[in-house]
Amino acid sequence: MAMATAVANARNSAGGFIFDVIGVDLPTPEGRAKVEAVNSGVLPLATTDEELVAAFDSAFRNGSLRATTDNRVYQLADITVVDIHLDVSRHENGMPTVRFDGFKKAIATLGDTMRPGSLIVVETTVPPGTCEKVVRPLVMERLRARGLSEDAILVAHSYERVMPGKEYYRSIVNFWRVFSGTTEAAAVACQAFLTKVIDTERFPLRRLHSTTASETAKVLENSYRATNIAFIAEWGNFAEAVGIDLFEVIDAVRVRPTHSNIRQPGFGVGGYCLTKDPLLAGIGARELFGLDHIDFPFSQRAVEVNAAMSEHSGALLRDAFGGSLSGKRILLLGVSYRSDVADTRYSPSEVFVRAVESEGAMVVSHDPLTTFWQERNQELPAELPAPQGFDAVVFAVAHAEYQTIDLRQWLGTSQPVVLDANNVLTPVQRQALRESGCRSMSVGRGN
Ligand SMILES: NC(=O)c1ccc[n+]([C@@H]2O[C@H](COP(=O)([O-])OP(=O)(O)OC[C@H]3O[C@@H](n4cnc5c(N)ncnc54)[C@H](O)[C@@H]3O)[C@@H](O)[C@H]2O)c1
């Protein structure tokens, strides 16, 4: 949706709109709802980015952005940007794999319907090798069946580095992009397209030698980040055990330019990307290149460590209550996977709630950005609940709203155990907490 908005809002030097964009989704209830929202002028996603909303409004008012579930529209397209999901699942032996069926079906439809001379840009995060070994052969097969030249439709790859949150839109149009084509003509066409959408004077494009290299760049970036986060978890545990503040330590380490992006301990890693992308290179090696001897143990371990991270917060609470959470009432603040976004896919909060409820705790959850937790099919209170009656309060997501709570006033005379699981609280709030007499704990900070 964000990419469709960016393309629909792209302007030429005279300020005119360059593209007519038709967003396509599946004819499922969710897909239809998104399409109806777009066609009513409503952005179908909750965002804190005002620029994205303004860009969507301007493209909609101009008539350059509409949506449909009718996949015959691909006949009209000079360019189709593929941004559909590709989920990771597990073989019976536990090895990760991808469910290619839906993705292949979508690509086959493009091969069946798009015009000669048109361009497919794959932006879906895929196992390296996908464009060369899956997408292009499939498109060629469909073109042959239509009696057309095998290269009549061009296939390129480019990936988004979007950062959902306040800078969502800018992270598409004002950021460096990597791309490649399965042929020279595809690379040239992809470059021409991206140049019109992205401010490539300030953020030059980088062309790699093959789509496999471009696909690898994407999964390497996300594997690096996921591994960096997983790596720090054991240092957070150490800091808690020996009574030091790892955030203070990290601040000292970060002055070294080589170490400036070292991550920090927290509540866990969620969202649709970091939870699966570190597994994609191994899947590509095994399933697309037949290389069983190439393994990615760090990346695989990172996914496991990150997925289990919120269990540590559960353990801290269990210890605080003398070894049992049975009957404890917990207020969980934040259910999205990241601060200041409403996306709750694969959130650590989900793992946390499941774990503590299985131990007999009762949880009330809140999130300032959403009143419905889709994955748990659960309504959430719109207002921040009062802390009275809770045995514990867990600050799980560093939403801006939580950082402006006057803790003294909010807590009043109640004295729950307070766990800052994700460096949510400001120094002023932490001081107020100490003065409140509540027992408090922080992930990554020893007492
Ligand atoms: N969300 C991010 O911040 C982000 C960042 C970088 C890369 N990515 C990658 O982009 C891809 C999409 O991610 P997302 O978060 O937008 O996923 P999403 O699930 O929110 O959106 C995908 C949409 O595609 C639709 N769809 C599926 N099959 C289709 C088909 N055949 N025809 C038309 N529509 C179809 C789905 O119904 C859904 O609405 C993934 O590969 C993801 O890893 C996402």
Side-chain angles (χ1 to χ4, degrees):
M1 191 63 245
M3 178 63 180
T5 302
V7 179
N9 206 40
R11 315 287 178 100
N12 58 28
S13 54
F17 289 81
I18 302 173
F19 296 106
D20 277 319
V21 177
I22 305 177
V24 188
D25 212 299
L26 295 172
T28 56
E30 297 81 12
R32 284 187 205 284
K34 287 183 195 179
V35 165
E36 278 166 27
V38 171
N39 291 337
S40 318
V42 177
L43 184 69
L45 66 99
T47 179
T48 48
D49 182 4
E50 289 166 12
E51 211 175 334
L52 175 60
V53 176
F56 174 84
D57 285 345
S58 104
F60 179 78
R61 271 187 275 109
N62 179 60
S64 53
L65 180 55
R66 292 293 182 267
T68 183
T69 57
D70 182 347
N71 61 22
R72 285 174 304 176
V73 291
Y74 297 125
Q75 293 167 20
L76 304 171
D78 298 306
I79 301 159
T80 298
V81 181
V82 178
D83 252 318
I84 65 180
H85 57 276
L86 183 64
D87 295 342
V88 168
S89 58
R90 298 270 170 181
H91 286 299
E92 274 175 9
N93 63 5
M95 290 299 274
T97 183
V98 287
R99 288 185 218 129
F100 259 130
D101 297 3
F103 180 82
K104 280 187 180 167
K105 209 168 151 203
I107 298 297
T109 306
L110 300 184
D112 286 339
T113 47
M114 284 180 72
R115 297 191 296 226
S118 59
L119 169 70
I120 298 171
V121 181
V122 175
E123 287 198 344
T124 296
T125 309
V126 291
T130 298
C131 281
E132 281 176 17
K133 293 178 181 290
V134 178
V135 178
R136 188 157 182 241
L138 192 51
V139 171
M140 288 165 109
E141 180 195 303
R142 296 300 171 133
L143 288 169
R144 278 196 301 273
R146 289 165 70 187
L148 294 169
S149 139
E150 287 186 337
D151 286 329
I153 297 175
L154 308 173
V155 176
H157 177 264
S158 176
Y159 61 90
E160 295 184 10
R161 287 163 158 163
V162 295
M163 290 303 288
K166 290 198 170 74
E167 306 269 309
Y168 205 167
Y169 188 71
R170 281 187 191 196
S171 71
I172 292 182
V173 296
N174 289 347
F175 212 68
W176 297 271
R177 271 277 189 142
V178 174
F179 74 101
S180 192
T182 54
T183 59
E184 178 64 22
V188 169
C190 184
Q191 178 165 7
F193 168 58
L194 293 174
T195 303
K196 292 183 182 118
V197 179
I198 293 163
D199 181 354
T200 53
E201 272 181 22
R202 284 169 59 216
F203 301 94
L205 300 173
R206 182 179 289 252
R207 178 177 167 184
L208 299 189
H209 280 99
S210 70
T211 50
T212 301
S214 172
E215 292 159 340
T216 302
K218 170 67 188 179
V219 295
L220 170 55
E221 280 181 24
N222 277 358
S223 305
Y224 170 69
R225 192 160 174 86
T227 310
N228 194 344
I229 298 170
F231 163 76
I232 215 71
E234 60 209 32
W235 297 90
N237 297 349
F238 172 71
E240 289 163 21
V242 303
I244 58 173
D245 179 342
L246 198 71
F247 294 90
E248 184 192 42
V249 173
I250 286 171
D251 273 352
V253 172
R254 275 188 181 150
V255 298
R256 293 185 61 176
T258 50
H259 291 53
S260 60
N261 75 348
I262 190 169
R263 301 318 303 155
Q264 59 185 37
F267 188 56
V269 176
Y272 187 56
C273 295
L274 293 197
T275 49
K276 67 165 172 51
D277 292 358
L279 303 171
L280 291 174
I283 295 170
R286 283 188 300 279
E287 299 187 11
L288 299 179
F289 289 91
L291 299 169
D292 285 332
H293 64 287
I294 304 233
D295 215 352
F296 291 84
F298 282 109
S299 303
Q300 281 200 38
R301 184 78 190 117
V303 170
E304 288 159 18
V305 169
N306 292 339
M309 212 179 268
S310 67
E311 287 169 15
H312 177 64
S313 292
L316 288 177
L317 285 185
R318 197 184 309 115
D319 288 349
F321 291 117
S324 170
L325 289 173
S326 182
K328 299 298 174 201
R329 284 178 54 83
I330 299 172
L331 175 60
L332 176 68
L333 298 180
V335 305
S336 68
Y337 84 90
R338 185 183 152 83
S339 58
D340 300 324
V341 305
D343 191 342
T344 54
R345 286 179 289 177
Y346 303 100
S347 84
S349 299
E350 196 184 334
V351 180
F352 175 82
V353 171
R354 218 182 300 127
V356 297
E357 282 187 346
S358 74
E359 294 181 45
M362 285 173 297
V363 183
V364 172
S365 305
H366 169 266
D367 195 292
L369 297 179
T370 181
T371 53
F372 186 67
W373 192 349
Q374 198 167 351
E375 290 72 20
R376 291 182 54 80
N377 195 21
Q378 184 183 335
E379 301 282 347
L380 303 177
E383 299 294 325
L384 179 69
Q388 282 76 24
F390 288 102
D391 300 296
V393 175
V394 179
F395 285 92
V397 184
H399 289 311
E401 179 166 319
Y402 294 145
Q403 296 176 323
T404 58
I405 297 174
D406 180 337
L407 279 184
R408 277 212 182 161
Q409 199 183 10
W410 182 65
L411 287 166
T413 54
S414 61
Q415 296 222 313
V417 170
V418 177
L419 171 61
D420 183 355
N422 213 0
N423 200 27
V424 179
L425 301 179
T426 64
V428 171
Q429 287 176 310
R430 287 208 303 278
Q431 180 62 26
L433 201 53
R434 278 192 289 273
E435 289 166 10
S436 73
C438 288
R439 177 159 182 205
S440 64
M441 304 173 297
S442 298
V443 168
R445 287 193 172 92
N447 285 328

